Amino acid sequence: MPIKIEKDNSISISGFEGIGQSPLSDFTDMMGINLDRPGVASVNFKFESFIQDQSQDVQVFTANASTNELTVGLSARYRGQLKGRALTVSSSGTLPAGLAAETVYFAATDTNGTVFKLATSIKNAQDGNYVDITDTGTGVHTVTFLVPKALVGWCYNSYGNIIAQDTDNRIWDFGTYFTSNYPILIPGNTRTGDAAGIVNYKGYTIVFRSNAIDALLDKSGWTFDVPTWTNGFNTINVSNDGKAKPFYSLNDDTIYFYNGDTTRRNFKIGLLEENAGQTFDPASGATFAMVEDAVTIPFEDYESNPTAINEINEWLIIGTGGNKIYFWDKKSPSFTKYIEIKDSYVVDIQNVDNTAYCITLTGKIFTTNGTTASFLTKIPDHLIPFNPDNISNIITQVTTTAVLREKILIGMSIDGLGAYPNSKRKNYIFELNTNTGILSKYGIMSWGEETTTSITDVSKINLIMVDRFNGLGNQIMLSTSVEPVNGSVAHRIECNVAKRDFYRGEPRLIGYNNYEPYIITGVISYGEDYAKKTLRELQISFMRALTTGQGVKISYRKDDNASWTLLKTVDYTTYGAIKDIKIPAPITDIKDIQFKINLSCYNGETSGNSYYTPTFTTPFLKSIRLIP
C-alpha cells in the first residue's frame, strides 16, 4: 500500500498511484503532478497563454475619403501589430461609400495602431490593394475586430497548418505549430453559425455545418493567395447539427458524420468518400460519393442521438446520448450489434492500442473491444463539491477529450458553485494513463482553477488539441473562452510548451511552481478518542538531490473540512542539495490526520543576443515518513 502505518507507528507515504475513488483511499486528490516515473512524484508542465486574451473590440471610427483610412480612438494592435486582423463595420446611419456591413475586411496598414486602411483579403493587404472609400458616410460608424469564439474542432491541413472551427462556424488558421502571432480568419464559407466539426481530407479542409458541407482548398498561407472554397458541395440532404463530430476513418479512407434523423424512426450516419480511380474534387460530383444513411440506429427518443463516432478494427463505433453504444462492420445494411452501459451520454470515444475508451458526460469511463463493455473508472465523486443548499444547480460535465500518447485527457467543468450573482465554475483536465490505470488532474487553465461571474466572466475548456510541436513529441494546447456579461467574447489558446518569441528562440518549458502542484492523502485513522498519538519527526527522500528553486511543503489537518496547517518546508534555499533529510516536525493529539504535499519546480532562463533558452527542473519525490 502506498500509505502504511509501520510497526514502529510511523506513517510512510510513497508509491504515488493517482487519485482513488474514496476520500479514505491512499490519495484523494492531486493536481499538476507528473507520474510518468511510477512511484515518483514530480512537477508537470504548466499551461501558459499562447494566444493572449482577445476581446471582440468594438470601436467608433471615422473615414477619410482622400486617404482611404479609418481612424479609431484606441490602438487596435494585437501582439504588437494590427495588419491582418479581421473586422466588420456597421453604422447607425449610412456607411462610407465603398464599405458594406456584414463583409469581412482585413486591416491593411498600421501607422500607430489607430489609423489603418482596409483590404478584402490578406493577400490584398500584403499587396497594397486597398478598399476605395469615396465619402465619409453619415451617423456613427463602428468597427468590430473579430476573434475566435469557443473552438469546437480542429485539424491539420496538408501543409501542416492548424485549422480550427469556432462555434460560429468561422474558420481560423493558427499557422504551423501555433506560431502565428494571432489566428488568421479564413472567410468565404457558406455562412456562420451551426458549427458541426471539420476534417482534413484529400488536400481540403471539409467544414460541416447544420445543413451543408463546405470545402476549403489547402494553402500554406494567405499572404500570397486567397481562400478557395467549394461551398455546399454535398449531393445529399445534410442535417448534422453538431451532435457527433465527423470522423475520418484511416481503415477505409472515409469520412463518417452524423446526419440527423428520420423523425421518430432512426438516426442516420452518412459517409463521404473518394470514388475509386478518381481524384477528389468537391466541385466535381463524379470524384466522390455521399451516402445519406450509410447506417442507421434506432430512434428511442430525442436524447438518444449519436454523440461520438470512432472505430476499432473494422468496426465503426457510435456512442449515443442514451445508454447504448452501437457497432457496425461497414458491410451490413444496418448496425451489427449494440452494448448497453450503466450511464448515458457518451461525450467522446478514444481508441488507444485497439481498445475503445468511451467517456460519458458525468466522467465515467468504459472500455470495449467490440464484444463487451466494462466499467473502468470515473472521476471520483468526492472531487465534486457538495453543497446541500444549492445541490440542484451544480452541474458537472465532461466538455472534451483527447489522447496524449498512452494517456486520455478529459476536460471537465463544474458549474453552479456558489450563489448568483457570484456563481462560480471550476475547470480541470484529468489524465488517465491507460498503461497504469493512474488517474490524476493533469492541470488547470492559466485563468486559474476557478472563475466567477463576480469578475464578469465564466471560463471553460472547449477543446483539447494534441500537437507534434516541431518534433518535440506530442504537446497539449487548450482552447478556452470567456463570456463576459456584456456579450463580448474573449478567447485564449494555452499550451504546456510555449515560446517567448514566435520567430526565434527555443520552446519554453514551464512547470507548475510556487507550490501549486499538490498531492492530498486520504484521511488516515491513526489514534483513538482516548489514546491520541504524537508524531515528532519528518523524513523526506528524493530520487536525486534538490537544486536551485526546488522544494516541497508538508501540511496537515485533523479532519477533511479543516484548514491546512503548514508542518515544514524543505527547499534548496534552506537545506541545500539534500537527497534525504530527517528533521523535527511535531504534531500532537492525533486521532485522524490528512496530509497535503506541495511541490515546486525551478523555471529559469538564460538570455542570449536574440533568444532565450529556458531551464525547467523539478524535484523527484520518492517517499515521506512521519515518525513518532
Side-chain angles (χ1 to χ4, degrees):
M1 293 178 62
I3 298 179
K4 295 188 289 185
I5 299 176
E6 308 287 357
K7 291 181 179 179
D8 64 355
N9 266 331
S10 63
I11 300 174
S12 66
I13 304 171
S14 61
F16 305 99
E17 294 183 350
I19 302 171
Q21 290 293 323
S22 165
L24 299 177
S25 56
D26 289 321
F27 300 104
T28 64
D29 199 359
M30 53 181 63
M31 195 287 295
I33 299 293
N34 187 313
L35 299 174
D36 287 348
R37 295 173 173 84
V40 178
S42 58
V43 175
N44 220 338
F45 294 124
K46 183 177 185 177
F47 291 101
E48 287 200 300
S49 177
F50 206 95
I51 302 295
Q52 296 287 346
D53 303 353
Q54 299 181 58
S55 61
Q56 192 164 350
D57 297 318
V58 179
Q59 292 198 48
V60 173
F61 75 85
T62 58
N64 188 321
S66 62
T67 63
N68 294 324
E69 291 176 330
L70 305 189
T71 299
V72 293
L74 300 173
S75 174
R77 286 178 176 171
Y78 172 66
R79 295 193 63 85
Q81 69 180 70
L82 172 62
K83 189 174 183 178
R85 286 200 68 182
L87 57 92
T88 59
V89 293
S90 60
S91 178
S92 65
T94 302
L95 280 167
L99 299 180
E102 305 302 324
T103 298
V104 174
Y105 298 102
F106 295 86
T109 57
D110 178 15
T111 55
N112 56 13
T114 61
V115 180
F116 51 91
K117 296 181 181 181
L118 298 181
T120 56
S121 68
I122 297 281
K123 182 179 186 300
N124 283 339
Q126 186 76 13
D127 293 346
N129 297 323
Y130 307 129
V131 173
D132 184 22
I133 299 173
T134 57
D135 67 38
T136 59
T138 61
V140 177
H141 311 314
T142 53
V143 58
T144 300
F145 293 95
L146 302 178
V147 297
K149 292 189 176 180
L151 298 186
V152 297
W154 79 293
C155 63
Y156 283 110
N157 72 7
S158 55
Y159 292 91
N161 292 40
I162 295 171
I163 310 297
Q165 178 188 38
D166 71 13
T167 52
D168 204 25
N169 200 35
R170 289 193 173 110
I171 307 302
W172 302 83
D173 189 332
F174 286 89
T176 54
Y177 312 106
F178 279 84
T179 54
S180 296
N181 269 11
Y182 52 84
I184 299 297
L185 177 64
I186 310 172
N189 50 316
T190 304
R191 67 180 180 88
T192 58
D194 305 319
I198 61 175
V199 176
N200 191 258
Y201 185 69
K202 308 294 184 182
Y204 293 85
T205 297
I206 310 299
V207 178
F208 290 80
R209 62 177 180 83
S210 62
N211 57 9
I213 308 176
D214 304 332
L216 170 67
L217 181 65
D218 287 350
K219 308 280 187 180
S220 61
W222 310 103
T223 59
F224 52 84
D225 210 340
V226 296
T228 301
W229 285 93
T230 306
N231 289 323
F233 73 92
N234 45 291
T235 57
I236 60 171
N237 292 326
V238 177
S239 180
N240 47 1
D241 57 0
K243 298 292 194 293
K245 298 296 187 295
F247 172 75
Y248 171 66
S249 167
L250 285 171
N251 288 339
D252 53 359
D253 197 24
T254 299
I255 298 173
Y256 295 94
F257 56 94
Y258 171 57
N259 196 27
D261 64 271
T262 302
T263 304
R264 291 182 291 278
R265 290 182 60 87
N266 53 53
F267 293 104
K268 300 179 290 186
I269 301 296
L271 68 77
L272 164 65
E273 64 182 358
E274 182 181 67
N275 284 334
Q278 298 289 322
T279 299
F280 174 71
D281 178 358
S284 173
T287 66
F288 63 90
M290 277 192 180
V291 179
E292 182 175 351
D293 51 357
V295 64
T296 60
I297 63 173
F299 184 106
E300 295 184 47
D301 55 50
Y302 282 103
E303 299 300 322
S304 61
N305 59 275
T307 54
I309 305 173
N310 209 306
E311 66 183 351
I312 180 171
N313 296 322
E314 76 276 13
W315 300 96
L316 194 73
I317 308 176
I318 305 166
T320 69
N323 68 337
K324 294 181 179 65
I325 301 169
Y326 291 87
F327 296 83
W328 180 46
D329 62 9
K330 304 178 185 176
K331 302 172 185 175
S332 302
S334 181
F335 68 90
T336 313
K337 59 184 174 181
Y338 69 86
I339 296 174
E340 293 189 7
I341 58 174
K342 294 180 179 179
D343 201 4
S344 61
Y345 205 108
V346 174
V347 173
D348 214 347
I349 301 172
Q350 298 291 356
N351 187 332
V352 182
D353 292 334
N354 219 30
T355 296
Y357 294 79
C358 304
I359 303 98
T360 68
L361 188 69
T362 59
K364 291 183 179 179
I365 304 171
F366 298 85
T367 60
T368 179
N369 57 8
T371 303
T372 61
S374 302
F375 172 73
L376 178 64
T377 189
K378 66 177 180 178
I379 306 300
D381 291 336
H382 66 263
L383 296 181
I384 310 305
F386 178 71
N387 183 353
D389 297 327
N390 196 31
I391 192 68
S392 63
N393 293 327
I394 293 179
I395 301 173
T396 302
Q397 58 183 1
V398 170
T399 59
T400 179
T401 75
V403 174
L404 176 69
R405 295 182 290 274
E406 74 280 1
K407 301 169 185 176
I408 296 176
L409 304 177
I410 304 169
M412 176 162 277
S413 170
I414 305 170
D415 291 344
L417 306 175
Y420 180 83
N422 296 319
S423 58
K424 302 174 182 178
R425 172 183 287 162
K426 289 188 176 182
N427 295 283
Y428 303 104
I429 292 183
F430 285 87
E431 169 190 287
L432 174 68
N433 189 311
T434 60
N435 288 336
T436 64
I438 287 176
L439 180 71
S440 64
K441 288 176 183 171
Y442 189 94
I444 58 176
M445 301 181 301
S446 60
W447 292 102
E449 179 177 357
E450 184 177 278
T451 56
T452 171
T453 56
S454 66
I455 56 172
T456 72
D457 60 49
V458 178
S459 184
K460 179 182 285 188
I461 300 170
N462 301 110
L463 193 67
I464 303 174
M465 297 167 274
V466 178
D467 182 34
R468 299 187 298 267
F469 210 92
N470 284 327
L472 291 174
N474 290 335
Q475 303 299 336
I476 304 170
M477 274 64 90
L478 297 178
S479 157
T480 64
S481 68
V482 174
E483 301 153 6
V485 294
N486 63 9
S488 64
V489 175
H491 185 74
R492 174 182 290 193
I493 294 292
E494 299 169 76
C495 182
N496 69 348
V497 174
K499 284 187 176 182
R500 178 176 290 275
D501 189 313
F502 287 101
Y503 296 109
R504 61 190 182 190
E506 299 299 323
R508 185 184 185 205
L509 306 177
I510 301 295
Y512 284 99
N513 54 8
N514 298 321
Y515 297 97
E516 293 176 276
Y518 59 78
I519 301 168
I520 298 177
T521 71
V523 177
I524 303 165
S525 297
Y526 187 59
E528 303 291 340
D529 279 330
Y530 301 103
K532 294 182 178 180
K533 295 182 180 179
T534 297
L535 294 166
R536 292 182 171 83
E537 290 184 302
L538 171 66
Q539 182 177 347
I540 303 178
S541 294
F542 297 95
M543 195 170 71
R544 60 186 67 164
L546 291 181
T547 61
T548 301
Q550 298 179 4
V552 60
K553 285 184 178 180
I554 312 296
S555 303
Y556 70 92
R557 62 185 179 185
K558 296 179 182 179
D559 70 65
D560 69 347
N561 197 39
S563 298
W564 294 102
T565 299
L566 179 63
L567 179 63
K568 284 291 180 181
T569 299
V570 175
D571 58 15
Y572 177 82
T573 301
T574 305
Y575 295 97
I578 54 104
K579 187 170 180 290
D580 298 277
I581 191 171
K582 183 190 288 186
I583 53 177
I587 310 173
T588 60
D589 297 322
I590 304 170
K591 177 189 173 186
D592 297 324
I593 193 164
Q594 185 177 29
F595 295 98
K596 184 175 185 180
I597 304 160
N598 294 83
L599 299 180
S600 192
C601 74
Y602 173 70
N603 293 315
E605 296 174 326
T606 57
S607 60
N609 292 331
S610 61
Y611 61 89
Y612 292 88
T613 302
T615 301
F616 163 70
T617 65
T618 173
F620 292 91
L621 179 63
K622 187 167 62 174
S623 65
I624 292 173
R625 189 171 173 227
L626 297 117
I627 305 167

